[in-house]
């Protein structure tokens, strides 16, 4: 059962305040991703400690980089169930994971960071991985 919105709102705001568009329904996900060809970062947000203490801060730090995705999108696992399920349909070849960070280019998934790659790491380490992916996929 989803947590009350008052508990989740600050966790949603962490990404919205740095420019992410929050997708809360399956049609919103399709509208945002189905035909998108620009570089797109999709964050499957969650209320776990590794999202709050590592993933969300790392994402914010990474976006201070010279190269970065053109489109920033997020869904909230455990809250917006239909949106999250639909978003995961675009993350081909990876099991459901939250938090997780997917990078798309030309409509194709080109890079992925799963929960097990977030847990136990510092935001600086995760941010460095994100910046490396941005350099590879967002620099042209």
């Amino acid at each position: 059962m989803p947590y009350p919105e008052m508990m989740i709102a600050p966790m949603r705001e962490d990404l919205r305040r740095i420019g992410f568009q929050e997708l809360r329904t399956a049609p919103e996900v399709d509208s945002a991703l189905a035909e998108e060809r620009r570089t797109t970062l999709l964050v499957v947000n969650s209320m776990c400690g590794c999202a709050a203490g590592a993933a969300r801060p790392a994402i914010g730090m990474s976006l201070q980089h010279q190269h970065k995705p053109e489109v920033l999108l997020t869904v909230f696992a455990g809250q917006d169930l239909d949106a999250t399920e639909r978003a995961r349909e675009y993350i081909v070849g990876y099991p459901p994971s939250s938090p997780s960070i997917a990078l798309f280019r030309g409509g194709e998934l080109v890079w992925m960071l799963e929960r097990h790659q977030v847990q136990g790491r510092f935001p600086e380490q995760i941010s460095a991985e994100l910046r490396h992916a941005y350099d590879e996929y967002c620099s042209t």
Side-chain angles (χ1 to χ4, degrees):
M1 170 171 232
Y3 286 89
E5 185 60 32
M6 62 184 242
M7 292 177 64
I8 303 303
M11 296 175 214
R12 292 182 187 276
E13 184 60 26
D14 282 348
L15 293 177
R16 284 193 310 244
R17 102 182 129 68
I18 59 172
F20 278 80
Q21 175 188 355
E22 187 172 48
L23 308 171
R24 298 191 74 171
T25 67
E28 288 178 357
V29 171
D30 286 335
S31 178
L33 285 175
E35 300 297 322
E36 185 59 68
R37 296 297 172 250
R38 296 175 291 173
T39 54
T40 303
L41 192 67
L42 173 65
V43 175
V44 179
N45 198 357
S46 72
M47 60 180 299
C48 72
C50 60
R56 290 191 303 264
I59 293 162
M61 292 166 46
S62 75
L63 294 174
Q64 303 305 308
H65 192 54
Q66 172 186 2
H67 301 124
K68 55 190 162 197
E70 298 166 272
V71 179
L72 305 173
L73 304 172
T74 183
V75 295
F76 206 110
Q79 298 302 304
D80 302 323
L81 304 179
D82 291 340
T84 302
E85 183 178 329
R86 183 60 53 86
R88 287 178 171 153
E89 291 175 13
Y90 288 88
I91 302 172
V92 178
Y94 292 89
S97 175
S98 58
S100 60
I101 306 166
L103 183 62
F104 296 86
R105 180 176 173 181
E108 300 293 324
L109 178 66
V110 294
W111 185 87
M112 181 74 179
L113 190 73
E114 299 175 87
R115 177 187 175 103
H116 71 88
Q117 297 166 300
V118 172
Q119 289 178 303
R121 299 182 68 204
F122 293 106
E124 295 81 6
Q125 295 169 304
I126 299 165
S127 177
E129 276 195 57
L130 285 164
R131 290 189 316 267
H132 179 74
Y134 300 164
D135 286 342
E136 186 170 346
Y137 298 107
C138 303
S139 63
T140 59

